[in-house]
Amino acid sequence: AQSVAQPEDQVKVAEGNPLTVKCTYSVSGNPYLFWYVQYPNRGLQFLLKYITGDNLVKGSYGFEAEFNKSQTSFHLKKPSALVSDSALYFCAVRDITSGYSTLTFGKGTMLLVSP
Amino acid sequence: NAGVTQTPKFQVLKTGQSMTLQCAQDMNHEYMSWYRQDPGMGLRLIHYSVGAGITDQGEVPNGYNVSRSTTEDFPLRLLSAAPSQTSVYFCASSYSTQGYEQYFGPGTRLTVT
């Protein structure tokens, strides 16, 4: 079975400071990893993904994430937060060795960026 | 290119009523799925389809039916609504099930009284 943990329900940072939203995963094989963002009363939007290759993945809106196989983590980062980054962030994983496997989401982390 | 569309946006049902949530995509995606979002529980997969005529159950399928007669449409049917089905429902699609990201619809907020 595959699973995702987002250990923080909420992350607060001040505008201009770096931000990190944590994600750890568990799969029996190798993972595909994704980050999505949800703004209030909207659907989820894709931010970035790790499939293979470079462990540092760059995505939309200046976000990046680092795949760490030994720690089974895929933390989302941004060097300088904006107030407009305030939203709900979801990490998701798919086990690529499981055929038509499904995507499993974490419970989400609310990011609050103060002016 | 409208992406993934869902109707209705809001719905109130009485316990025991049935209804169909509509989902359509115009990206020729093979993979479509339905999730429900509840506070503190993230997104949970209800049903999914890897192509027309093929559907399978997700994590929380009880009380819901799906069918996939065309590539474009993937309706979700609530057979006999219960208050536990009060939730926000999202439809999503992707090119395939492997390394491709999913595109989400705007959601349907359902309240069952």
Side-chain angles (χ1 to χ4, degrees):
Chain A
Q2 57 195 35
S3 64
V4 174
Q6 294 182 242
E8 302 153 317
D9 291 336
Q10 191 176 87
V11 170
K12 292 183 179 180
V13 298
E15 188 171 37
N17 284 355
L19 69 87
T20 298
V21 182
K22 295 180 180 178
C23 170
T24 58
Y25 66 90
S26 174
V27 296
S28 56
N30 291 316
Y32 288 150
L33 292 156
F34 303 81
W35 275 102
Y36 290 84
V37 60
Q38 184 180 32
Y39 298 100
N41 300 313
R42 303 286 294 274
L44 277 69
Q45 296 178 29
F46 168 74
L47 274 181
L48 52 79
K49 65 183 177 184
Y50 171 81
I51 304 300
T52 187
D54 194 347
N55 290 342
L56 184 63
V57 178
K58 294 187 184 297
S60 306
Y61 313 121
F63 284 94
E64 58 188 30
E66 186 166 11
F67 172 63
N68 187 318
K69 189 171 184 178
S70 63
Q71 297 186 6
T72 62
S73 67
F74 189 56
H75 301 331
L76 182 69
K77 300 182 180 185
K78 188 174 183 182
S80 179
L82 299 173
V83 172
S84 57
D85 292 330
S86 297
L88 186 57
Y89 290 80
F90 289 97
C91 183
V93 67
R94 170 177 285 135
D95 186 341
I96 67 174
T97 58
S98 300
Y100 286 126
S101 66
T102 57
L103 194 61
T104 298
F105 285 83
K107 295 185 178 181
T109 298
M110 181 64 72
L111 174 66
L112 298 173
V113 182
S114 56
Chain B
N1 190 328
V4 180
T5 57
Q6 291 183 239
T7 56
K9 285 187 166 48
F10 302 94
Q11 184 70 49
V12 179
L13 290 178
K14 295 187 187 303
T15 297
Q17 289 184 318
S18 62
M19 78 160 297
T20 299
L21 307 185
Q22 300 292 343
C23 174
Q25 52 91 9
D26 61 359
M27 297 173 282
N28 201 31
H29 285 169
E30 289 298 317
Y31 184 87
M32 296 186 74
S33 52
W34 276 102
Y35 296 89
R36 58 178 289 173
Q37 183 180 22
D38 302 291
M41 303 193 72
L43 274 77
R44 292 181 293 169
L45 182 66
I46 304 171
H47 285 285
Y48 66 98
S49 170
V50 299
I54 305 169
T55 63
D56 206 348
Q57 296 180 350
E59 179 184 356
V60 288
N62 292 342
Y64 308 95
N65 269 357
V66 292
S67 59
R68 184 98 179 269
S69 57
T70 67
T71 298
E72 294 78 20
D73 300 300
F74 191 44
L76 178 72
R77 297 181 186 85
L78 279 70
L79 308 174
S80 177
S84 61
Q85 294 179 303
T86 293
S87 187
V88 181
Y89 291 84
F90 289 101
C91 179
S93 74
S94 64
Y95 179 72
S96 85
T97 62
Q98 296 306 309
Y100 294 90
E101 60 272 24
Q102 293 192 13
Y103 293 80
F104 283 80
T108 295
R109 185 173 295 274
L110 175 68
T111 301
V112 182
T113 61

